[in-house]
Amino acid sequence: MCGRYTEYDSEDDLLERYGTMRTPPKLSKNYNVAPGQIMPVITEDHKGKHLVLMKWGLIPVWAKDPSIGYKLINAR
């Protein structure tokens, strides 16, 4: 998982690119997205694709404390 990335697409751009059915509340541009932040994610189920907001990060199944995810930005 990379340490940072940039999100500059609007919800309209994401809807057009991925053909999603619904959007979350207004998205804002973020030029320095870090693990732990809430970001848009494309999910798919039997009804189609959806744009939902999720916390970005990795929490392994063996972790006793979710805060370990902040230390795993370079996991392989």
Side-chain angles (χ1 to χ4, degrees):
M1 180 170 81
C2 62
R4 305 284 173 140
Y5 74 94
T6 299
E7 173 55 51
Y8 55 86
D9 287 333
S10 70
E11 53 271 9
D12 291 335
D13 294 334
L14 293 172
L15 287 174
E16 183 178 331
R17 182 180 304 156
Y18 297 105
T20 58
M21 296 174 55
R22 63 184 168 97
T23 62
K26 178 85 173 125
L27 299 176
S28 58
K29 295 179 180 177
N30 188 338
Y31 296 99
N32 193 20
V33 178
Q37 291 182 320
I38 305 296
M39 297 306 298
V41 175
I42 306 294
T43 62
E44 187 171 13
D45 60 17
H46 66 283
K47 294 181 181 180
K49 295 178 183 175
H50 307 282
L51 185 64
V52 297
L53 296 176
M54 295 184 177
K55 185 185 281 190
W56 178 45
L58 170 68
I59 301 173
V61 296
W62 48 262
K64 293 182 175 130
D65 182 6
S67 68
I68 188 103
Y70 297 114
K71 299 173 185 172
L72 296 175
I73 66 165
N74 292 319
R76 295 182 184 194

